[in-house]
Amino acid sequence: MITGNLKQLDATMLPPALLKLLTQEELSLNALQEKSEGTYNLINNDVFYIISTPTTDREENLKSEFHDHYLDIQVVLKGQEMISTSTTITYPHQYQETKPDLIFLDNPPITTRLLLDTGDFAIFYPGEVHRPTCQVNASQKIKKAVFKISKTWLATQ
């Protein structure tokens, strides 16, 4: 897992391909905040992002998830969210997918909680368990972008 802020990308020590991607002007915080909800394809199906406006909820009402083929870059565009994390899954292919590359877990023990504010992001690699959209103090509607980066694409950059 890597955390940082879109306005301080140079300080995050990102892999070069992710740094090059996130420093594009059309993916700046201001540009992303102006985007409407939807899916935006950047490189075939290897790199895309989803803009959404979910409402945060109590941690215990949400499910933890992980992915096998894609990295998640969860970016808060407006508001605050807590993302709870659990121990990394060593053998993700042993789990049943709920949707393509989405595996939910029933109540794994939470090991860390990340508070993300506007512009903050957290990158979750395949197998890294996370429970996004947890409320901070009270439930609120937020705006966020979730980048999906194919691990195969990243390995070839």
Side-chain angles (χ1 to χ4, degrees):
M1 173 179 48
I2 299 173
T3 61
N5 187 287
L6 288 181
K7 293 190 175 196
Q8 299 171 330
L9 286 170
D10 292 338
T12 57
M13 307 255 326
L14 291 174
L18 294 182
L19 182 60
K20 183 178 177 183
L21 177 75
L22 292 176
T23 54
Q24 295 178 40
E25 184 59 34
E26 64 268 20
L27 301 180
S28 69
L29 178 59
N30 291 338
L32 290 170
Q33 287 172 325
E34 297 300 317
K35 294 272 188 181
S36 54
E37 289 187 273
T39 301
Y40 298 85
N41 197 8
L42 295 172
I43 303 171
N44 302 322
N45 286 324
D46 290 331
V47 179
F48 61 94
Y49 64 98
I50 303 158
I51 302 285
S52 65
T53 55
T55 300
T56 60
D57 200 351
R58 293 167 36 128
E59 181 180 278
E60 60 269 17
N61 294 340
L62 302 167
K63 291 188 175 191
S64 292
E65 64 184 56
F66 72 93
H67 314 282
D68 189 21
H69 302 290
Y70 286 89
L71 289 74
D72 260 8
I73 304 177
Q74 305 246 347
V75 184
V76 175
L77 302 176
K78 181 181 177 187
Q80 287 186 319
E81 102 177 280
M82 188 79 67
I83 298 181
S84 302
T85 68
S86 300
T87 305
T88 299
I89 301 296
T90 307
Y91 301 104
H93 60 278
Q94 294 178 345
Y95 292 83
Q96 181 68 37
E97 291 182 333
T98 305
K99 294 181 180 177
D101 201 45
L102 177 61
I103 300 101
F104 286 117
L105 297 175
D106 291 326
N107 297 318
I110 300 301
T111 57
T112 305
R113 289 174 177 87
L114 304 170
L115 172 60
L116 300 181
D117 211 329
T118 300
D120 292 339
F121 64 84
I123 300 175
F124 297 97
Y125 283 81
E128 291 184 335
V129 178
H130 51 287
R131 188 179 301 182
T133 322
C134 299
Q135 69 186 39
V136 176
N137 293 315
S139 183
Q140 67 172 296
K141 188 172 187 173
I142 63 171
K143 186 170 188 178
K144 69 185 296 183
V146 177
F147 287 83
K148 306 296 278 185
I149 314 292
S150 164
K151 66 182 181 183
T152 305
W153 177 84
L154 186 58
T156 62
Q157 299 306 303

